[in-house]
Amino acid sequence: MRYVDQLPCAIQEEKHVTIPMEDGVKLSARIWRPTASDAEPVPAVLEYIPYRKNDLTSTRDAINHPYVAGHGYACVRVDLRGTGESEGVLLDEYLEQEQSDAEAVLAWMAEQPWCDGNTGMTGISWGAFAALQTAARRPPSLRAICIASFTDDRYADDMHYLGGAMLSDNLAEAGTMFAYATCPPDPAVVGERWREMWRERLDAARPWVLEWLRHQQRDDYWRHASLSEDYSALRCPVLASSGWADGYSNAVTRLLSNVDVPRKGLIGPWSHKLPHLGEPGPAIGYLQEVVRWWDHWLKGVDNGVMDGPMLKAWMQESVPPSTSYEERPGRWVGEPSWPSPNIGEAVFPLRDGALGMPDGSMEQEDRVRTVQSPLSVGQFAGKWASYNAPPDLPYDQREEDGGSLVFQTEPLPERIEILGAPVVVVEVAADAPVAQVNVRLSDVAPDGRSTRVTYGVLNLTHRDREEAPEALEPGRRYRVRVPLHGVAQAFPPGHRIRLSLSTSYWPLVWPAPGPALLSVYEKGSALTLPVRPDDVPEDKALRPFGEPEGCAPPAVTRLSEPEQAWTVSRDLVNYRSVLDIVKDRGLQRYEDNGIETGLRACEKYSWVGEDFGSVRGESAWEMRFGRPGWDVRVETRTVLTSDEDTFHVDATLDGYEDGRRVFSRTWNEQIPRENV
């Protein structure tokens, strides 16, 4: 990244500004704005998240917000109620209170003397959720949004449930927020009442996974704040981006298809990161694109930002399997609209235990093939949403395929490129009332190495409706449709396309209550790929992206080394298998305010042999904050287990000051399984 120190506008920074809410709670903001804005008001852009602007996101914030402010905007970074130095408590994600507060913040911004009355919202992940959800409420000052790594469907396309099956990220993200929502404010900012504010947060804390487990199917809890319930609610322009290695790429194309507002989409090869910080690369000059977006929609500049394709996507070339890539080879392609007129369907029938080529013939005998996967299928699946730290992409699929039902093509006679969401339609029967079908699409090189391209999951009890799942009738045949995550991928000549079906995908997906033998009938079953020509003339005319730019981050002194680990182990004496994940940032000091922080997160997923009752997930966090005279630590631990009928949650929360435990609470709760 190129750090920029010369910007069009001189700026000033206000590190702690309070914004009053209607109930008297004050939210804490950090503001960067042009020095001249006191006399010459400018549009204002809000980022609204719970991740602590004073320390944990201060490096990223310093790269992004001063850059945009230096191009003529007031950038307002607000911590949600109950986080950072904001008062109150944070009880769950995306509650009505959160969105009401966001509207109040936008109204406050629009009324400030340095704001010309026009506002935007921006962010990645939670910040993007907040922007999209707030925009659907149509606050009067909000003119446009710019969002990355988000979803418009909180049930079917977030880290909780996928295809009606529960993701292990349901536990992992709950563990993350269990820690973040219980951290103390900074005494240097809020004064001596920091203990009172911290105690309020600790007293209100509860493992969020408890609430998420109480809503195992689509209901009003998930419908709230899901734009997919009413796309017409969005009336402002949107620039939407994500990455193929992220968990949220589907939302970009879905938004392009369904909203009726000026819109642009951008999907690169990235994990869960902003495009100018994108990994795997290539990263792009995203902040330049953001400034162009704001210039047009907040200032009325005729800069051609809406020219060119509606969607730009990175067409990925074939690569060997790896848990991490510095760069994904490929090229940018553009689509004038979505769905695109450039993309057609190619149908590959399941035939004679293989994947037939799309030659127009769908003649298939009614052969049946069966699979009952071991619980180990999925140990190389990687993370639902890659963060690329530690390396967390799926590894070579050959071992996974050993416990799967595999259909593959002959070596391809010519190159095939796909852009969009593959779909598998398959006829199946199971010998259990609750069962899964997990579908993987892989690129198999001539040497046999298998790189997962995309995947999909279906809890077969959700085959018809997410609102009212129905148990399977053992032995009965069902025709089901399994959409896979959207992707842009090239398959070279000489490679094979492999389709793999399994009944487990643990630990990415929480297993069904027990083992199931799945019968797959070839007749009528097929894979449909969204095939795109590799010579679309408009691709060569795409405007190139600039080099990644941002402002220089503040000085940070590392006090201890970070640690990353992603370890799969198996004990062949007792047959216990474990996936251990460690993400430790190490201790570091932010020199601008002297605060020292440490963050260590550990996830552990284990099982014994083929005992479905032995599956166990654990998320443990330790977060430290301090400076001379102040030393605070929060430790959280959440353990999720299950039997055939029930989920069991055991959790602990401990708060320490000066090494002495000042708060402790435990939870031991059971929640019935509902066809999950």
Side-chain angles (χ1 to χ4, degrees):
M1 171 175 287
R2 184 165 70 92
Y3 293 128
V4 178
D5 56 10
Q6 297 294 322
L7 295 166
C9 303
I11 64 172
Q12 64 186 46
E13 179 184 352
E14 299 166 86
K15 293 186 176 181
H16 177 59
V17 176
T18 58
I19 303 175
M21 300 294 102
E22 288 186 358
D23 61 358
V25 165
K26 295 178 181 178
L27 304 189
S28 178
R30 192 168 190 169
I31 302 174
W32 299 260
R33 59 185 177 89
T35 304
S37 60
D38 285 326
E40 301 172 6
V42 296
V45 177
L46 170 64
E47 184 180 21
Y48 178 63
I49 53 178
Y51 301 127
R52 301 181 62 89
K53 61 178 177 50
N54 206 38
D55 39 62
L56 297 184
T57 68
S58 61
T59 296
R60 190 205 69 180
D61 294 346
I63 293 172
N64 300 341
H65 294 304
Y67 183 92
V68 175
H71 285 83
Y73 296 89
C75 292
V76 182
R77 165 70 174 85
V78 175
D79 276 332
L80 267 61
R81 176 186 293 246
T83 65
E85 282 64 59
S86 291
E87 297 174 349
V89 295
L90 181 63
L91 301 175
D92 198 354
E93 58 182 14
Y94 319 134
L95 298 178
E96 171 67 24
Q97 181 70 66
E98 176 186 329
Q99 290 133 36
S100 177
D101 285 351
E103 290 184 280
V105 170
L106 289 171
W108 177 89
M109 290 164 53
E111 293 170 357
Q112 298 310 297
W114 38 258
C115 180
D116 66 5
N118 297 297
T119 66
M121 286 188 74
T122 190
I124 179 173
S125 198
W126 195 309
F129 278 66
L132 187 63
Q133 293 165 4
T134 304
R137 300 163 73 97
R138 305 184 189 179
S141 71
L142 188 63
R143 302 286 181 258
I145 60 175
C146 182
I147 54 178
S149 300
F150 65 94
T151 190
D152 55 342
D153 188 333
R154 292 184 54 216
Y155 177 73
D157 199 30
D158 200 356
M159 85 286 288
H160 305 292
Y161 298 91
L162 177 62
M166 188 177 76
L167 296 164
S168 62
D169 272 51
N170 198 49
L171 168 64
E173 181 63 15
T176 300
M177 294 314 302
F178 197 16
Y180 271 91
T182 52
C183 291
D186 187 350
V189 176
V190 303
E192 283 302 313
R193 63 195 188 98
W194 75 269
R195 285 190 186 86
E196 176 186 346
M197 293 173 65
W198 186 33
R199 180 70 193 215
E200 184 182 13
R201 296 175 187 183
L202 294 170
D203 285 337
R206 187 171 177 80
W208 293 5
V209 71
L210 293 170
E211 187 68 15
W212 298 345
L213 283 170
R214 291 192 177 97
H215 301 277
Q216 296 169 32
Q217 52 203 259
R218 184 185 294 275
D219 60 13
D220 288 343
Y221 176 83
W222 302 112
R223 292 188 185 100
H224 169 73
S226 287
L227 182 69
S228 59
E229 295 295 315
D230 179 12
Y231 284 109
S232 69
L234 184 68
R235 302 309 309 155
C236 71
V238 56
L239 172 61
S241 63
S242 189
W244 296 128
D246 198 355
Y248 290 113
S249 58
N250 297 325
V252 174
T253 50
R254 197 165 52 242
L255 203 65
L256 298 181
S257 297
N258 289 290
V259 299
D260 185 21
V261 297
R263 57 206 186 273
K264 290 282 186 177
L266 174 64
I267 310 177
W270 315 301
S271 58
H272 195 70
K273 296 180 182 291
L274 286 165
H276 60 301
L277 306 171
E279 297 174 337
I284 63 167
Y286 177 67
L287 292 182
Q288 297 96 301
E289 301 298 315
V290 170
V291 168
R292 291 182 72 234
W293 187 257
W294 296 138
D295 282 350
H296 183 75
W297 293 111
L298 300 188
K299 292 183 177 178
V301 178
D302 185 9
N303 58 10
V305 75
M306 295 305 296
D307 295 344
M310 178 183 288
L311 173 67
K312 289 184 180 179
W314 186 254
M315 179 62 67
Q316 302 177 126
E317 292 293 333
S318 176
V319 290
S322 176
T323 57
S324 179
Y325 302 95
E326 287 190 13
E327 296 232 346
R328 285 295 305 262
R331 75 186 193 282
W332 288 104
V333 300
E335 298 297 350
S337 59
W338 197 266
S340 169
N342 294 323
I343 296 172
E345 292 186 343
V347 180
F348 296 74
L350 274 57
R351 181 186 297 150
D352 298 330
L355 202 56
M357 294 298 291
D359 54 10
S361 171
M362 284 297 292
E363 289 186 8
Q364 297 163 283
E365 295 186 23
D366 199 21
R367 289 193 173 92
V368 59
R369 303 185 184 275
T370 60
V371 62
Q372 182 171 303
S373 303
L375 282 171
S376 58
V377 173
Q379 62 185 336
F380 301 134
K383 195 79 170 165
W384 169 79
S386 169
Y387 287 80
N388 211 46
D392 56 7
L393 294 173
Y395 192 47
D396 195 320
Q397 297 295 287
R398 283 178 288 186
E399 289 188 55
E400 309 278 56
D401 288 340
S404 307
L405 192 59
V406 173
F407 301 85
Q408 68 179 15
T409 65
E410 293 297 318
L412 298 176
E414 57 187 22
R415 178 184 177 92
I416 292 178
E417 291 187 1
I418 63 172
L419 175 56
V423 174
V424 170
V425 173
V426 62
E427 289 208 6
V428 297
D431 67 351
V434 180
Q436 301 171 1
V437 57
N438 302 278
V439 180
R440 287 173 284 118
L441 185 69
S442 298
D443 168 23
V444 182
D447 64 5
R449 286 184 292 180
S450 180
T451 303
R452 197 189 75 192
V453 171
T454 183
Y455 73 100
V457 176
L458 178 63
N459 173 353
L460 290 169
T461 70
H462 285 243
R463 62 196 176 275
D464 296 323
R465 290 192 301 164
E466 294 171 328
E467 296 84 358
E470 294 182 0
L472 299 166
E473 180 183 328
R476 178 182 171 184
R477 288 174 65 162
Y478 298 92
R479 185 174 176 82
V480 299
R481 180 179 184 274
V482 187
L484 280 61
H485 287 290
V487 71
Q489 179 69 40
F491 297 88
H495 284 223
R496 299 172 186 260
I497 298 173
R498 177 177 292 170
L499 183 70
S500 307
L501 309 180
S502 63
T503 56
S504 68
Y505 207 34
W506 164 251
L508 192 148
V509 178
W510 199 270
L517 180 70
L518 192 70
S519 298
V520 176
Y521 299 86
E522 290 187 358
K523 189 175 181 63
S525 298
L527 162 70
T528 300
L529 294 182
V531 175
R532 183 185 195 272
D534 60 6
D535 58 352
V536 176
E538 290 78 9
D539 291 348
K540 296 181 175 61
L542 291 178
R543 180 178 63 85
F545 293 109
E547 178 186 0
E549 288 184 351
C551 289
V556 177
T557 300
R558 185 163 296 286
L559 305 176
S560 70
E561 290 304 308
E563 178 188 357
Q564 296 180 2
W566 188 289
T567 306
V568 175
S569 62
R570 182 176 299 168
D571 185 333
L572 293 182
V573 174
N574 61 20
Y575 302 109
R576 184 172 185 263
S577 300
V578 182
L579 168 62
D580 267 309
I581 303 170
V582 176
K583 182 170 68 175
D584 188 335
R585 292 187 184 178
L587 290 171
Q588 51 190 13
R589 181 172 60 245
Y590 299 89
E591 297 298 349
D592 63 340
N593 58 19
I595 195 167
E596 298 179 0
T597 68
L599 182 158
R600 182 177 177 86
C602 300
E603 296 174 43
K604 186 187 296 284
Y605 303 96
S606 62
W607 65 101
V608 177
E610 295 308 304
D611 181 3
F612 279 64
S614 70
V615 296
R616 182 182 188 275
E618 177 180 340
S619 173
W621 282 69
E622 179 183 291
M623 302 185 78
R624 294 173 174 267
F625 302 90
R627 60 166 59 87
W630 181 54
D631 180 14
V632 176
R633 184 171 86 251
V634 172
E635 294 181 358
T636 65
R637 180 172 173 268
T638 310
V639 175
L640 178 63
T641 58
S642 62
D643 55 36
E644 188 172 343
D645 303 310
T646 308
F647 288 110
H648 304 267
V649 177
D650 300 286
T652 59
L653 167 62
D654 292 287
Y656 296 84
E657 183 180 355
D658 297 328
R660 182 174 62 90
R661 187 164 60 185
V662 296
F663 183 92
S664 184
R665 182 166 294 171
T666 62
W667 291 262
N668 307 99
E669 300 197 23
Q670 293 78 44
I671 298 171
R673 297 180 77 147
E674 301 173 16
N675 289 315
V676 171

